[in-house]
Amino acid sequence: MKIKKQLFNECKLYVEKRERTIREIMTSNKKALFSETKSSAGDKHETGRAMLQLEMEKASQQIAVVQQMKEVLHRISTEDVSEVIRLGSLVHTNKASYYLSISIGAVAVENEMYFVISSSSPIGKLLLGKRVNDIVEFNGQQIKITQVN
């Protein structure tokens, strides 16, 4: 349970940091957009504004992804334990350990590596609904589930 909580907190920190970065970019782009004055080089001015507008749209899309991540995290309880692998499960296999949450990659907790993955990732899809001693095949390898928390 302690490790699940730490992994969950890493996910929350990742989302908060990503959101903060995107918002800073949006603020910077808004300032640049409003401070840009019309110059005698009209085409250059319009191109600059168009590029800033594209950056703003890209940042808005990234904020939408962050919101989806927040929604996924909101559905996870670190207290629940299930024999069946589901969102929020900590899964140990003979190859690696996985935490089904949002996709943030490898995270070290107490000198052990955990792969924090989305349930919609290829390995996440394979693990969902499985139990201890079930075997899944991934990238040509047989992976045996040894423990589920």
Side-chain angles (χ1 to χ4, degrees):
M1 288 298 215
K2 180 179 157 191
I3 292 173
K4 272 175 75 167
K5 285 181 183 176
Q6 287 177 295
L7 290 168
F8 181 79
N9 286 334
E10 287 290 328
C11 291
K12 282 176 51 176
L13 288 172
Y14 173 86
V15 170
E16 289 167 6
K17 182 179 178 185
R18 188 162 172 191
E19 182 177 28
R20 190 170 39 254
T21 301
I22 295 166
R23 294 215 185 272
E24 286 170 1
I25 290 168
M26 289 176 83
T27 301
S28 171
N29 286 344
K30 278 181 187 173
K31 285 179 185 173
L33 195 60
F34 291 122
S35 69
E36 193 156 308
T37 57
K38 190 90 170 160
S39 69
S40 58
D43 287 348
K44 183 180 174 189
H45 170 77
E46 292 304 319
T47 301
R49 288 184 63 83
M51 290 184 72
L52 282 171
Q53 199 62 42
L54 284 173
E55 287 296 316
M56 294 292 286
E57 288 173 22
K58 185 174 146 187
S60 292
Q61 291 169 350
Q62 291 174 338
I63 285 290
V65 170
V66 166
Q67 287 305 116
Q68 289 173 336
M69 288 180 177
K70 283 182 171 182
E71 288 171 20
V72 169
L73 292 177
H74 187 69
R75 296 192 324 247
I76 294 174
S77 169
T78 57
E79 304 298 321
D80 291 349
V81 178
S82 173
E83 292 181 12
V84 178
I85 297 171
R86 59 192 173 104
L87 186 65
S89 292
L90 179 57
V91 182
H92 299 277
T93 71
N94 61 329
K95 302 287 183 188
S97 296
Y98 302 93
Y99 179 60
L100 268 73
S101 177
I102 59 173
S103 186
I104 68 170
V107 175
V109 175
E110 295 182 6
N111 296 322
E112 259 192 73
M113 290 303 292
Y114 296 88
F115 292 98
V116 181
I117 60 171
S118 163
S119 58
S120 61
S121 67
I123 186 75
K125 287 178 184 176
L126 287 174
L127 292 173
L128 276 178
K130 301 293 189 270
R131 300 171 180 267
V132 171
N133 294 323
D134 283 353
I135 295 174
V136 296
E137 188 169 324
F138 184 67
N139 287 342
Q141 293 186 328
Q142 299 281 317
I143 300 174
K144 182 177 181 179
I145 299 163
T146 58
Q147 186 180 355
V148 177
N149 302 57

